[in-house]
Amino acid sequence: EAGVTQFPSHSVIEKGQTVTLRCDPISGHDNLYWYRRVMGKEIKFLLHFVKESKQDESGMPNNRFLAERTGGTYSTLKVQPAELEDSGVYFCASSRDRGTYNEQFFGPGTRLTVL
Amino acid sequence: AQSVSQHNHHVILSEAASLELGCNYSYGGTVNLFWYVQYPGQHLQLLLKYFSGDPLVKGIKGFEAEFIKSKFSFNLRKPSVQWSDTAEYFCAVILPNTGNQFYFGTGTSLTVIP
């Protein structure tokens, strides 16, 4: 079974540009989570999809961030326009059914650097 | 504010030394507790978890953690570390009646010297 994959692994952009991160969850996993780790700080929850629906987006920093999960498969996280403080590692995780806890499997992360 | 605290940011140990990494959380009520590990160049992996029952939890690779409710703590331990334990360790909680999203601590970087 393939794990959670993320693309790209690294992205370096200039302030004001747009970047789109992609996450492919494990096949059959309805739950998809985005997290972000700013250097030296904790990994913070951004949002949670159940299939194609946003279940909780309380962690999204501001309206420059837009997440989608069309068709309930892969998800994209777009940052437009990027700011310096958006630099960090963006993790994606997926799990099976909601209800009782199901283990979340994490992707390798996308390291975003905004110059 | 509700939070998860890991007080050790960087730990350096020699092989065979014992390890204890602190984790405290500030949420009241029932929480589910986890330790994750990220080896260099790899994904975050689950080390162990606690939901209920025996407060001493055994995980993979010889790790264990003890839940002490009165201290709001879930410290990670290993009696004898190996060079291969060099990694970053994250404590995390899941709150009840949520979407199972994690609240993580800041992480502890462990370096084991051969």
Side-chain angles (χ1 to χ4, degrees):
Chain A
E1 176 179 75
V4 177
T5 58
Q6 293 185 246
F7 181 83
S9 57
H10 294 84
S11 180
V12 180
I13 61 173
E14 293 190 349
K15 175 182 171 180
Q17 289 186 321
T18 298
V19 64
T20 300
L21 314 181
R22 173 171 170 145
C23 169
D24 286 78
I26 294 172
S27 177
H29 282 194
D30 288 341
N31 294 287
L32 189 149
Y33 302 82
W34 283 99
Y35 296 88
R36 176 175 74 171
R37 189 184 191 197
V38 172
M39 190 172 66
K41 299 199 172 180
E42 72 271 29
I43 302 171
K44 275 196 170 180
F45 165 76
L46 295 179
L47 88 159
H48 170 209
F49 283 100
V50 177
K51 297 184 180 178
E52 68 276 7
S53 299
K54 291 177 186 174
Q55 190 70 27
D56 181 351
E57 51 184 334
S58 61
M60 294 287 263
N62 51 60
N63 59 10
R64 295 185 293 103
F65 289 75
L66 175 64
E68 294 180 325
R69 192 183 182 195
T70 307
T73 55
Y74 71 91
S75 174
T76 58
L77 180 64
K78 181 191 287 188
V79 186
Q80 179 182 30
E83 298 290 342
L84 299 178
E85 64 264 26
D86 301 332
S87 296
V89 181
Y90 290 76
F91 293 100
C92 174
S94 72
S95 69
R96 287 189 180 280
D97 308 321
R98 204 181 157 189
T100 55
Y101 170 76
N102 287 279
E103 181 176 346
Q104 290 185 31
F105 295 87
F106 282 81
T110 293
R111 182 174 296 276
L112 174 64
T113 302
V114 182
L115 302 175
Chain B
Q2 297 172 330
S3 67
V4 178
S5 300
Q6 292 182 243
H7 306 296
N8 315 102
H9 297 294
H10 300 280
V11 174
I12 301 174
L13 295 173
S14 298
E15 274 193 319
S18 64
L19 170 72
E20 181 160 3
L21 301 183
C23 173
N24 289 88
Y25 62 94
S26 62
Y27 302 100
T30 303
V31 296
N32 297 326
L33 297 154
F34 303 80
W35 276 95
Y36 271 80
V37 61
Q38 187 172 28
Y39 297 103
Q42 296 189 26
H43 303 194
L44 278 160
Q45 301 174 38
L46 180 65
L47 263 184
L48 48 81
K49 60 183 183 286
Y50 173 79
F51 289 169
S52 62
D54 188 344
L56 186 60
V57 180
K58 304 286 187 183
I60 62 171
K61 304 187 180 185
F63 286 91
E64 64 179 31
E66 184 175 13
F67 169 56
I68 303 179
K69 187 175 182 178
S70 61
K71 295 185 178 181
F72 296 87
S73 71
F74 190 56
N75 292 355
L76 181 71
R77 300 195 293 246
K78 186 171 184 179
S80 176
V81 295
Q82 301 172 318
W83 174 79
S84 58
D85 293 324
T86 295
E88 193 153 18
Y89 293 80
F90 296 91
C91 182
V93 306
I94 285 179
L95 303 181
N97 303 316
T98 66
N100 290 333
Q101 61 265 30
F102 285 111
Y103 294 87
F104 283 94
T106 51
T108 297
S109 175
L110 171 65
T111 300
V112 180
I113 301 169

